[in-house]
Coordinates of all heavy atoms in Angstrom, one line a residue:
S1 N -4.5 -0.1 -14.0 CA -4.6 0.3 -15.4 C -4.6 1.8 -15.5 O -4.8 2.6 -14.5 CB -5.8 -0.3 -16.0 OG -7.0 0.2 -15.4
G2 N -4.5 2.4 -16.7 CA -4.7 3.8 -17.0 C -3.5 4.7 -16.5 O -3.7 5.9 -16.5
G3 N -2.4 4.1 -16.2 CA -1.2 4.9 -15.8 C 0.0 4.0 -15.6 O 0.0 2.8 -15.8
T4 N 1.0 4.6 -15.0 CA 2.2 3.8 -14.7 C 2.0 2.9 -13.5 O 1.2 3.3 -12.6 CB 3.4 4.8 -14.4 OG1 3.1 5.6 -13.3 CG2 3.7 5.7 -15.6
F5 N 2.6 1.8 -13.6 CA 2.5 0.8 -12.5 C 3.9 0.4 -12.0 O 4.2 0.5 -10.8 CB 1.7 -0.4 -12.8 CG 1.6 -1.4 -11.7 CD1 0.9 -1.3 -10.6 CD2 2.4 -2.6 -11.9 CE1 0.9 -2.2 -9.6 CE2 2.4 -3.5 -10.9 CZ 1.6 -3.4 -9.7
S6 N 4.7 0.0 -13.0 CA 6.0 -0.5 -12.6 C 6.9 0.5 -12.0 O 7.9 0.2 -11.3 CB 6.7 -1.1 -13.9 OG 6.9 -0.1 -14.9
S7 N 6.6 1.8 -12.2 CA 7.4 2.9 -11.6 C 6.8 3.3 -10.2 O 7.4 4.2 -9.6 CB 7.4 4.1 -12.5 OG 6.2 4.6 -12.7
R8 N 5.7 2.7 -9.8 CA 5.1 3.1 -8.5 C 5.3 2.2 -7.4 O 5.1 1.0 -7.5 CB 3.6 3.3 -8.8 CG 3.1 4.3 -9.8 CD 3.3 5.7 -9.2 NE 2.3 6.6 -9.9 CZ 1.2 7.1 -9.4 NH1 0.9 6.8 -8.1 NH2 0.4 7.9 -10.1
A9 N 5.7 2.7 -6.3 CA 5.6 1.9 -5.0 C 4.1 1.7 -4.7 O 3.3 2.6 -5.0 CB 6.3 2.6 -3.9
M10 N 3.8 0.6 -4.1 CA 2.4 0.3 -3.8 C 2.2 0.0 -2.4 O 3.1 -0.4 -1.7 CB 1.9 -0.9 -4.7 CG 2.1 -0.7 -6.2 SD 0.9 0.6 -6.8 CE -0.7 -0.3 -6.6
G11 N 0.9 0.1 -1.9 CA 0.6 -0.2 -0.5 C -0.7 -0.8 -0.4 O -1.6 -0.6 -1.2
W12 N -0.9 -1.6 0.7 CA -2.2 -2.1 1.1 C -2.5 -1.4 2.5 O -1.6 -1.4 3.4 CB -2.2 -3.6 1.3 CG -2.2 -4.3 0.0 CD1 -1.2 -4.9 -0.7 CD2 -3.4 -4.6 -0.7 NE1 -1.7 -5.5 -1.8 CE2 -3.0 -5.4 -1.8 CE3 -4.8 -4.4 -0.6 CZ2 -3.9 -5.8 -2.8 CZ3 -5.7 -4.8 -1.5 CH2 -5.2 -5.6 -2.6
F13 N -3.7 -0.8 2.6 CA -4.2 -0.2 3.8 C -5.5 -0.9 4.2 O -6.1 -1.6 3.4 CB -4.4 1.3 3.6 CG -3.2 2.1 3.3 CD1 -2.6 2.0 2.0 CD2 -2.7 2.9 4.3 CE1 -1.4 2.8 1.8 CE2 -1.5 3.7 4.0 CZ -0.9 3.6 2.8
R14 N -5.8 -0.7 5.5 CA -7.1 -1.3 5.9 C -7.8 -0.3 6.9 O -7.1 0.5 7.6 CB -6.9 -2.6 6.6 CG -6.2 -2.7 7.9 CD -5.9 -4.1 8.3 NE -5.2 -4.2 9.6 CZ -4.8 -5.4 10.1 NH1 -5.0 -6.5 9.5 NH2 -4.2 -5.4 11.3
Q15 N -9.1 -0.4 6.9 CA -9.9 0.5 7.8 C -11.0 -0.3 8.4 O -11.9 -0.8 7.7 CB -10.4 1.7 7.1 CG -11.1 2.7 7.9 CD -11.3 4.0 7.2 OE1 -11.4 4.1 6.0 NE2 -11.4 5.1 8.0
A16 N -11.0 -0.5 9.7 CA -12.1 -1.1 10.5 C -13.1 -0.1 10.9 O -12.8 1.1 11.0 CB -11.5 -1.8 11.7
P17 N -14.4 -0.5 11.1 CA -15.4 0.5 11.6 C -14.9 1.3 12.8 O -14.4 0.7 13.8 CB -16.5 -0.4 11.9 CG -16.4 -1.6 11.1 CD -14.9 -1.8 11.0
G18 N -15.0 2.6 12.7 CA -14.7 3.5 13.8 C -13.2 3.7 13.9 O -12.8 4.4 14.9
K19 N -12.4 3.2 13.0 CA -10.9 3.3 13.1 C -10.4 4.1 11.9 O -11.0 4.2 10.9 CB -10.3 1.9 13.2 CG -10.8 1.0 14.3 CD -10.4 1.6 15.7 CE -10.8 0.6 16.8 NZ -10.4 1.2 18.1
E20 N -9.2 4.5 12.1 CA -8.5 5.3 11.0 C -8.0 4.3 10.0 O -7.8 3.1 10.3 CB -7.4 6.2 11.6 CG -6.2 5.4 12.1 CD -5.1 6.3 12.6 OE1 -5.3 7.5 12.7 OE2 -4.0 5.8 13.0
R21 N -7.7 4.7 8.8 CA -7.1 3.9 7.8 C -5.6 3.8 8.0 O -4.9 4.8 8.1 CB -7.4 4.5 6.4 CG -7.0 3.6 5.2 CD -7.4 4.1 3.9 NE -8.9 4.3 3.8 CZ -9.5 4.6 2.7 NH1 -8.9 4.8 1.6 NH2 -10.9 4.8 2.7
D22 N -5.1 2.6 8.2 CA -3.7 2.4 8.5 C -3.1 1.5 7.5 O -3.7 0.6 6.9 CB -3.6 1.7 9.9 CG -4.0 2.6 11.1 OD1 -3.7 3.8 11.0 OD2 -4.5 2.1 12.0
V23 N -1.7 1.7 7.4 CA -1.0 0.9 6.4 C -0.8 -0.5 6.9 O -0.7 -0.8 8.1 CB 0.4 1.5 6.2 CG1 1.2 1.5 7.5 CG2 1.2 0.8 5.1
V24 N -0.9 -1.5 6.0 CA -0.8 -2.9 6.3 C 0.6 -3.3 5.8 O 1.4 -4.0 6.5 CB -1.9 -3.7 5.7 CG1 -1.6 -5.2 5.9 CG2 -3.2 -3.3 6.2
A25 N 0.9 -3.0 4.5 CA 2.1 -3.4 3.9 C 2.4 -2.6 2.7 O 1.4 -2.1 2.0 CB 2.1 -4.9 3.5
T26 N 3.7 -2.4 2.4 CA 4.0 -1.6 1.2 C 5.1 -2.4 0.4 O 5.8 -3.2 1.0 CB 4.5 -0.2 1.5 OG1 5.7 -0.2 2.1 CG2 3.4 0.5 2.4
I27 N 5.3 -2.0 -0.8 CA 6.3 -2.7 -1.7 C 6.9 -1.7 -2.6 O 6.2 -0.8 -3.2 CB 5.7 -3.9 -2.4 CG1 6.8 -4.7 -3.1 CG2 4.7 -3.5 -3.4 CD1 6.4 -6.1 -3.5
S28 N 8.2 -1.7 -2.8 CA 8.8 -0.8 -3.7 C 8.4 -1.1 -5.2 O 7.9 -2.2 -5.5 CB 10.4 -0.9 -3.6 OG 10.8 -2.2 -3.9
S29 N 8.8 -0.2 -6.1 CA 8.4 -0.4 -7.5 C 8.9 -1.6 -8.1 O 8.2 -2.3 -8.9 CB 8.8 0.8 -8.3 OG 10.2 1.0 -8.2
S30 N 10.1 -2.0 -7.8 CA 10.8 -3.2 -8.3 C 10.4 -4.4 -7.6 O 10.6 -5.5 -8.1 CB 12.3 -3.0 -8.3 OG 12.8 -3.0 -7.0
G31 N 9.8 -4.3 -6.4 CA 9.4 -5.5 -5.6 C 10.6 -6.0 -4.7 O 10.4 -7.0 -4.1
D32 N 11.7 -5.3 -4.7 CA 12.8 -5.8 -3.9 C 12.9 -5.3 -2.5 O 13.8 -5.7 -1.7 CB 14.1 -5.3 -4.6 CG 14.4 -3.8 -4.6 OD1 13.4 -3.1 -4.3 OD2 15.4 -3.4 -5.1
S33 N 11.9 -4.5 -2.0 CA 11.8 -4.1 -0.7 C 10.4 -4.0 -0.2 O 9.5 -3.6 -1.0 CB 12.5 -2.7 -0.6 OG 12.4 -2.2 0.8
A34 N 10.1 -4.3 1.0 CA 8.7 -4.3 1.5 C 8.7 -3.9 3.0 O 9.7 -4.0 3.7 CB 8.1 -5.7 1.4
Y35 N 7.6 -3.3 3.4 CA 7.3 -2.9 4.8 C 6.1 -3.6 5.3 O 5.1 -3.7 4.5 CB 7.2 -1.4 4.9 CG 6.5 -1.0 6.1 CD1 7.2 -0.7 7.3 CD2 5.1 -0.8 6.2 CE1 6.6 -0.4 8.5 CE2 4.5 -0.4 7.4 CZ 5.3 -0.2 8.5 OH 4.7 0.2 9.7

């Protein structure tokens, strides 16, 4: 909320205790591509 969403690529990251924050998955703005 509070801004553009459909124009933004999005990502999920995770961080375990004592570890760095790492990417889990990402998705393009349209949803047609993922990592």
Side-chain angles (χ1 to χ4, degrees):
S1 63
T4 58
F5 175 75
S6 60
S7 64
R8 298 287 207 105
M10 301 291 293
W12 284 97
F13 294 75
R14 67 186 181 186
Q15 186 167 25
K19 304 294 184 179
E20 67 180 10
R21 189 173 299 188
D22 289 326
V23 65
V24 175
T26 70
I27 189 167
S28 63
S29 59
S30 65
D32 64 352
S33 180
Y35 163 87

